[in-house]
Amino acid sequence: ISGNHEKSLIKLEGVGYDFCEEICKKRHDLTYIKSSNVVCPGNIKVILHHGGGSCSAPGKSRKKRLKTRTLELMSNGCHGDIFLYGHCHNYAVIPSYMDATIIATGCFQSPPVYMMENFGMPDICGLILSYQVDDNNKPINIKTEFHSINDYGGIINHDY
């Protein structure tokens, strides 16, 4: 899920630059998906959403904000089995909400000073998502494996 953290790369590479598309050109084990509405194996509908504006807000917990954002998307006709949010900087899983699963991913950036002072250390990690499909084409036994950067040598200071 690309987002606003790639804006500095656009300044260097030009308008239309998409970091996710470029890295997928170099990594044959990755598939670039431009659409935010994806149909995955088993006919499972996954909604990818950047989550801009943060996944938390004053007076609301992260999970409450994710539920509110999901309800807004559903109200606008965006329906899926799994809602996958980027930009949250911390991972969270809400296994059952309005007949869907909500997953907030971590991030891939070293935390800037502002984030550390205001929000604390983010979850810098990747996600492997697996599931089975029932007879009604609904995902079951959803498994989220978050792999922390600490498992791979830790954070590089000032790696924004």
Side-chain angles (χ1 to χ4, degrees), residues 62 88-91 105-125 148-150 153-160:
R62 177 167 283 108
C88 293
H89 298 271
N90 294 99
Y91 60 80
T105 64
C107 64
F108 281 110
Q109 74 174 59
S110 175
V113 174
Y114 173 82
M115 179 186 287
M116 291 297 293
E117 289 176 350
N118 292 285
F119 302 103
M121 184 68 172
D123 295 319
I124 303 172
C125 61
S148 171
I149 193 163
N150 295 327
I155 195 168
I156 300 170
N157 288 328
H158 306 294
D159 180 26
Y160 311 121

Side-chain angles (χ1 to χ4, degrees), residues 85-160:
Y85 291 88
H87 192 78
C88 293
H89 298 271
N90 294 99
Y91 60 80
V93 178
I94 302 170
S96 181
Y97 179 73
M98 305 287 291
D99 201 31
T101 297
I102 301 171
I103 302 169
T105 64
C107 64
F108 281 110
Q109 74 174 59
S110 175
V113 174
Y114 173 82
M115 179 186 287
M116 291 297 293
E117 289 176 350
N118 292 285
F119 302 103
M121 184 68 172
D123 295 319
I124 303 172
C125 61
L127 167 66
I128 297 175
L129 176 65
S130 60
Y131 56 86
Q132 295 173 329
V133 181
D134 69 10
D135 295 335
N136 298 314
N137 283 338
K138 290 292 185 184
I140 58 172
N141 301 325
I142 296 174
K143 183 178 177 186
T144 54
E145 296 178 54
F146 291 97
H147 293 266
S148 171
I149 193 163
N150 295 327
D151 299 335
Y152 302 95
I155 195 168
I156 300 170
N157 288 328
H158 306 294
D159 180 26
Y160 311 121

Side-chain angles (χ1 to χ4, degrees), residues 6-159:
E6 293 77 38
K7 286 185 179 176
S8 60
L9 296 175
I10 291 171
K11 290 177 187 173
L12 296 173
E13 301 294 333
V15 175
Y17 180 80
D18 185 327
F19 173 77
C20 292
E21 182 178 17
E22 293 302 316
I23 197 166
C24 287
K25 288 178 184 176
K26 298 179 183 334
R27 295 272 310 266
H28 300 289
D29 58 330
L30 299 175
T31 302
Y32 178 69
I33 302 170
K34 187 172 185 91
S35 174
S36 60
N37 300 324
V38 180
V39 178
C40 292
N43 204 30
I44 301 302
K45 295 176 186 126
V46 178
I47 307 301
L48 305 174
H49 187 67
H50 177 253
S54 184
C55 292
S56 61
K60 288 187 178 179
S61 71
R62 177 167 283 108
K63 287 187 177 184
K64 182 172 174 78
R65 176 78 173 192
L66 289 166
K67 288 177 182 180
T68 300
R69 183 65 61 121
T70 301
L71 189 57
E72 288 170 0
L73 289 170
M74 288 177 167
S75 297
N76 290 322
C78 189
H79 299 281
D81 300 301
I82 299 171
F83 286 77
L84 190 61
Y85 291 88
H87 192 78
C88 293
H89 298 271
N90 294 99
Y91 60 80
V93 178
I94 302 170
S96 181
Y97 179 73
M98 305 287 291
D99 201 31
T101 297
I102 301 171
I103 302 169
T105 64
C107 64
F108 281 110
Q109 74 174 59
S110 175
V113 174
Y114 173 82
M115 179 186 287
M116 291 297 293
E117 289 176 350
N118 292 285
F119 302 103
M121 184 68 172
D123 295 319
I124 303 172
C125 61
L127 167 66
I128 297 175
L129 176 65
S130 60
Y131 56 86
Q132 295 173 329
V133 181
D134 69 10
D135 295 335
N136 298 314
N137 283 338
K138 290 292 185 184
I140 58 172
N141 301 325
I142 296 174
K143 183 178 177 186
T144 54
E145 296 178 54
F146 291 97
H147 293 266
S148 171
I149 193 163
N150 295 327
D151 299 335
Y152 302 95
I155 195 168
I156 300 170
N157 288 328
H158 306 294
D159 180 26

